[in-house]
Amino acid sequence: MRKVRDFDAELKALSERAKLLQQRKVQQFGELVEATGTDALDPDVLAGALLAAVAEKDMATIAAWGKKGAQFFHDTSRKSSRRARGGGEGGAAVTPGAEQA
């Protein structure tokens, strides 16, 4: 005998999964804005720059931006891995939550 599928439960699970993926996407975008330093920009300026990027049709310009972005991620991932190994920048270790002078 075949097992009856619970379509409602499957749909609910898919809906929850989609919600989690959307939340992760928004969180990662916020982290990207912080990591690139663009959180210091006025939101109107940032929105205008993003709209200009979307409207850009010159493939050479887009390719150059892609190259810069790939280099940014390459450089930051290398710095992160050095910190994780403990071979990064010198100085005293800072415990999370401790205030720095």
Side-chain angles (χ1 to χ4, degrees):
M1 185 167 182
R2 284 185 128 169
K3 184 178 178 182
V4 178
R5 290 178 67 178
D6 186 357
F7 289 110
D8 289 335
E10 289 180 29
L11 186 60
K12 183 178 179 183
L14 285 173
S15 176
E16 288 175 10
R17 176 78 173 141
K19 185 177 179 181
L20 287 174
L21 289 173
Q22 180 62 28
Q23 287 174 342
R24 184 183 310 157
K25 183 179 177 181
V26 170
Q27 179 180 356
Q28 288 174 340
F29 185 74
E31 290 170 356
L32 178 64
V33 168
E34 285 183 4
T36 57
T38 54
D39 57 334
L41 293 174
D42 183 54
D44 293 338
V45 174
L46 181 58
L50 291 171
L51 289 170
V54 169
E56 182 62 51
K57 301 294 183 218
D58 181 24
M59 294 309 290
T61 302
I62 294 171
W65 290 344
K67 228 174 167 179
K68 283 183 180 180
Q71 186 63 42
F72 171 79
F73 285 115
H74 181 264
D75 291 347
T76 56
S77 69
R78 199 170 34 184
K79 287 178 186 175
S80 296
S81 65
R82 264 191 256 138
R83 286 187 200 122
R85 287 193 313 261
E89 294 75 29
V94 178
T95 57
E99 290 187 29
Q100 292 181 338

